[in-house]
Amino acid sequence: MKTKWYFFFLTTVAVSAILYAFPGFKADEPAEIGVLMIGENRLEKFTGLENGLKDLGYSNKEIHFTVKNARDDEELLDKQIEDLLQTAPDLIVTLGAIESQRLKAELDKKKITIPVVFAGLAAPKELGLIKDYKSPGGMFTGINNYHASISGKRLEMLTSLVPNIKKVHVIYDSKIDVSKISLKETRIAANALGVEIAPCDASSKECLDRLWKTGKEGEAILILPSFRIESLTEDIVKLTEEKKIPAMGLYDFEVEKGLLASYGSSFHSQGYQAARFVSLILQGNKPGELPVELPDGIRFVVNQQTKDALGIRYNEDLLKLAELVHPDAQGGRNP
Amino acid sequence: MKAMIDFMQSQPIRNKVLVFGVAMSTIPLLLISIFYYSFVKADLETRIMEKQHLVLENLSREIEVEFSQTFQRIQVLASLHLLAEKQTALYELLQQNESVEEVVIADDKGLVEKRVSRFDLNITGSKEQWFTDDMWFQLQTREKVYGQVAFNQYGQPVMKLAIPFYENDTKKAVGVVVQLQKIIGKISSMRQDHSSYIYLVDDKDRVIAHQDYSRIWQKQPSTGEDVIGVTAKINELNWTLVMEQPKMTAFAPINRMLQSGIGAVALLILTVSLISVWAGLYFTRPIVSIDREMNNLKQGRKISPVKMRRTDELGKLADSFNDMSKELLEKSRLLEQEKERLDVVVNGIGAGLALVTKEYQITWMNPILTGWLKEDRLSLPCYAVIGGESTPCQNCPITCPDMDKIADEVMKFKDGANGERLFRHRVFPLNHAIEKEGEFLVVLEDITEQKQMEETMIQTDKLSALGIMASSFAHEVNNPLATINVYAEDLIDRIQAGDEDLDQDEMEHYLRKIKENTERCKRITGNLLNFSRKNDWMEDHIRVREIIENSISLVEHQLKKQRVQLELQIADTLPVIRGDGLKLMQVIVNLINNAVDALENEGRLVISATTTVDGTVSIKVIDSGHGIPAEAMDKLFDPFFTTKPIGKGTGLGLSVCYGIIQQFGGTITIDSKPEEGTTVEIQLPAERMQSEELAMGNQARNPA
């Protein structure tokens, strides 16, 4: 009888020990990361994110991405946000302001709490995504790409690069909050610098049409942040080439497409920098406690070919800061 | 520990085999595991620390390089006097160092003269003080100055660096704002294995970078957790890089291994236990069966043979047990029978039995003895209970262990309830006695009736002899009486006749003759009376010659009548013997009567008495009669056995003789050859000390 009790006890202990030991064999599941992008042109941010995480020591074993690309369709973006939330990822990375705003609206609506890292957007505080840069609170944190605040600096950079500019057409998007905030910054800087600016709302087709009609030498174009404006880059490039007016964009890819210069954080670096936030959150930090960061680097990119095409002269001092596209183009730097 | 050992020893073999199996399988495994775990743990800790050293070394070098490069670039620009020229050099500085947010040139009063900013407009404020007082103070004496870690308007950690330079003999300063977020971010967000974390502590012991952002800007944390950690000092900045890993997570891999090992050990114990129990049952089942049957056997219950199909030692043991139990049962049965028999004997023997220790304590009595004693005073010594004595018996073998020969000869008397009775008391030492349960067996026989019977037999025999000798006695008495009668008649006649010759002398002659014959009659009748007297054993010193002569006088007439030629060969120096002379006379008379009967008419009878070489007195009665048939030799001493014709013998003679000689402590032997004669020899123990004196007395009485 005692032996039976012994075996009953032993079997219970053995089964418990095996069950206890089982988790020892269980491999850690990779963290599920959802990625939201409004369009293809922000893919570079995702690439930056991947590279950043890789450099921080992450591999596919630790993380898994679910990428949602809305192909510049806002309605599709909303749907994809719904789909993504249904998968209940551990963390969501938004690649721009519009994605972040729509996601926040959906999260607030459904009262879902998922950490969100915005991989570069302008004026997150002004957009209501965070309470404070140092202590964002809530579930959002990420990179303030400074593209709103830096708008005035960009105006200064443009006018410094091409000192002969008399008037600057500022293309903004009245339907995009960031764009409007940027315009406000630009106006302040213009006053400080004594530069005449002419805002142009890209949300209406009239903007570019008017520039086509009125644009002339001695004028320049300053592009403010908006995914809609980003999609108009090629049209703007054509305009600047045709009208021989220099234009200042935000991103290096815009310069590569033919704009004279750009001053801003690159998509890749924003994505790369966002990887740090992803890592910090995966390591247990609350997004609300992670201070929003400015971009690690602001790239000043100048297209020498465009400069030659425009036939303009510019401030050589500034070129010390610039990264040149087609640096060996005929004409090169000012003689 | 002792209780545990006692507990284990009290367990059945099956459980012991189980414990042995489990212990033998798990203890080595556990010892190896513990050794391996300890070794791997120490090794892992070393490796973790080496890795931490490597990581911190790289990071600290990176930080040092970052700051030193920034200073070098500023210093180069200042030394080449490039700072005064436009803004080219300042832009170049921004371009060269991505962490630099802003570069300013300050005049000798610390007011900003020139600014190039990465994020803000390059506009300088009116009388804008860029340096803190502390920095400006240090700039007066130092070549390079580090500011404190601070936050910009966006909450970003930044740090100001500055160096002094001279422009046209005017001491100015160049300052840069370095963005720290990249360094801090890298330190904080770098993925570390197994909960490792790195943090950076500034010169004021504040954490300026930590994986856990809740700890930033706090004093250097002390988690209280046991950690493996290393530190690296960044000398220029007086910062400290710390990398730590909680031991709990550091050792998680080997703990997981241990966790898995526990499962394996548990499974192993389960398996081994099953095997051990099977082995235990396999090995102990025969023993358990044998034990069970043995208990049955012990308690007298019915047992069945232990059956098993195996030929190993246990199988042989079971077979041996079966054989042994069978034999034991058989012997028990025999023992029971023997005991029953013994009980019957002990209770029915008519003798009292008791077990007595060396201390004379009675430990057991049979019911007969208990009945005799009418009391149960076992606490008293045996001599007190049985003999009513106050000291041990003189010849008791308990007192004298060497006196084995007389162990069964000690006699005792005891007052019985029905008057004085006679008991024979014998003590036998037991060779295989149980200690303290009696080393001696005391046997008490009530021989009162036996003795009375013997007395009766002796008396009967005596009377028988008297009957046989009656005519002889009559004749013997008749002769002197006739003589007396003749002398008396003759005297009367002569007195009546007035015979003058009858003088006084002749009268005396007549009277003397009458007196002599009267005395002769008296002697004959005296002998007869003496012989016929019923008496108890009278111990005395006996002169053998006298006894023989008295005996012959009783049968003298018979010898004469049958013309038996009597020859006496009595040695002159016979020792005296101790005993009852009358009884010895009865023996000799019996032997003479037997001889006379055997001789019938005419024959030779020799009676001799000599001393043997071993000091005993040998009395022989030898006749030349018809002898005794061989088939009667074995029964000669049996009571009522006789070869004589009816009316001539009672068959008690030799039996009585045997009994009397036994009482003398002597022996009686008969040698007879048919038609040649019979020799009866009696050997009696002599009293050596007095023999010589008595012999001298004999010589004095019988000088011839």
Side-chain angles (χ1 to χ4, degrees), chain B residues 42-302:
Chain B
D43 185 61
L44 185 65
E45 188 169 351
T46 309
R47 286 170 187 276
I48 286 170
M49 290 182 75
E50 283 174 356
K51 185 185 169 189
Q52 287 177 337
H53 267 299
L54 197 65
V55 172
L56 287 196
E57 202 177 324
N58 287 336
L59 271 177
S60 60
R61 190 177 298 131
E62 199 175 317
I63 293 168
E64 280 176 344
V65 166
E66 178 80 18
F67 282 92
S68 64
Q69 277 185 349
T70 305
F71 270 117
Q72 276 177 8
R73 283 167 185 154
I74 302 170
Q75 283 167 337
V76 168
L77 291 175
S79 62
L80 295 175
H81 303 289
L82 294 174
L83 295 174
E85 298 175 11
K86 299 187 180 177
Q87 292 181 327
T88 310
L90 305 184
Y91 278 122
E92 196 172 349
L93 197 59
L94 287 183
Q95 198 276 331
Q96 286 171 343
N97 197 328
E98 207 174 30
S99 299
V100 175
E101 279 189 9
E102 187 177 71
V103 186
V104 296
I105 306 292
D107 63 11
D108 57 344
K109 292 185 178 57
L111 301 175
V112 178
E113 284 184 347
K114 202 179 288 180
R115 159 182 277 119
V116 171
S117 174
R118 198 183 293 276
F119 298 106
D120 298 323
L121 299 178
N122 296 339
I123 299 170
T124 57
S126 172
K127 293 186 179 177
E128 180 186 347
Q129 285 284 357
W130 190 85
F131 295 98
T132 61
D133 293 344
D134 188 42
M135 281 187 79
W136 186 249
F137 178 75
Q138 289 184 43
L139 270 172
Q140 306 311 312
T141 54
R142 296 187 184 177
E143 288 298 313
K144 55 183 179 184
V145 176
Y146 293 93
Q148 290 296 319
V149 178
F151 296 97
N152 63 14
Q153 58 180 320
Y154 298 103
Q156 308 302 309
V158 292
M159 189 175 181
K160 289 180 177 177
L161 309 177
I163 62 161
F165 72 98
Y166 288 91
E167 188 182 277
N168 301 326
D169 297 331
T170 305
K171 188 174 183 180
K172 294 186 174 179
V174 58
V176 295
V177 174
V178 178
Q179 195 184 60
L180 299 177
Q181 71 173 17
K182 194 172 179 182
I183 295 169
I184 291 173
K186 185 174 182 181
I187 291 169
S188 305
S189 59
M190 186 178 281
R191 180 180 178 273
Q192 302 298 337
D193 290 330
H194 312 302
S195 305
S196 287
Y197 53 87
I198 304 173
Y199 59 91
L200 183 61
V201 182
D202 71 1
D203 56 342
K204 295 191 184 312
D205 266 354
R206 294 177 306 176
V207 176
I208 56 174
H210 198 294
Q211 177 187 311
D212 182 358
Y213 261 68
S214 63
R215 296 188 178 172
I216 288 182
W217 304 114
Q218 294 179 2
K219 285 286 180 185
Q220 184 169 0
S222 173
T223 56
E225 204 173 11
D226 201 6
V227 296
I228 301 170
V230 295
T231 58
K233 198 87 178 167
I234 302 167
N235 291 323
E236 288 281 335
L237 290 156
N238 205 20
W239 290 357
T240 307
L241 258 175
V242 184
M243 185 169 184
E244 290 177 344
Q245 182 176 11
K247 282 189 175 175
M248 189 180 285
T249 54
F251 299 136
I254 53 174
N255 287 338
R256 273 202 299 276
M257 186 182 76
L258 189 69
Q259 199 176 338
S260 310
I262 289 168
V265 167
L267 198 62
L268 184 72
I269 290 174
L270 184 64
T271 310
V272 170
S273 295
L274 286 169
I275 294 170
S276 298
V277 165
W278 177 83
L281 290 174
Y282 178 76
F283 288 120
T284 60
R285 192 180 291 127
I287 297 170
V288 170
S289 300
I290 290 171
D291 182 51
R292 186 182 59 243
E293 294 305 325
M294 202 169 271
N295 279 330
N296 288 340
L297 189 65
K298 196 164 67 180
Q299 291 168 10
R301 291 199 290 261
K302 188 181 176 184

Side-chain angles (χ1 to χ4, degrees), chain A residues 151 154 158 168-174 178-180 182-183 186 197-204 207-212 220-226 228-230 232-233 235-237 239-240 245-250 254 259:
Chain A
S151 297
R154 288 173 59 231
L158 177 61
V168 178
H169 296 280
V170 180
I171 300 175
Y172 76 104
D173 187 343
S174 63
V178 175
S179 204
K180 288 191 284 187
S182 299
L183 178 61
T186 309
I197 61 169
C200 175
D201 186 0
S203 62
S204 69
C207 173
L208 287 186
D209 291 346
R210 186 165 55 83
L211 286 177
W212 272 109
I221 293 174
L222 180 68
I223 296 170
L224 297 185
S226 162
R228 197 172 284 117
I229 301 173
E230 287 167 18
L232 295 172
T233 304
D235 294 338
I236 296 169
V237 169
L239 176 69
T240 58
I245 54 175
M248 168 70 86
L250 283 159
E254 293 169 325
L259 294 187

Side-chain angles (χ1 to χ4, degrees), chain A residues 270-290:
Chain A
Q270 288 177 48
Y272 188 90
Q273 194 173 341
R276 296 208 295 259
F277 286 88
V278 173
S279 175
L280 285 167
I281 290 169
L282 290 180
Q283 290 181 65
N285 286 288
K286 294 176 183 173
E289 293 175 353
L290 299 177

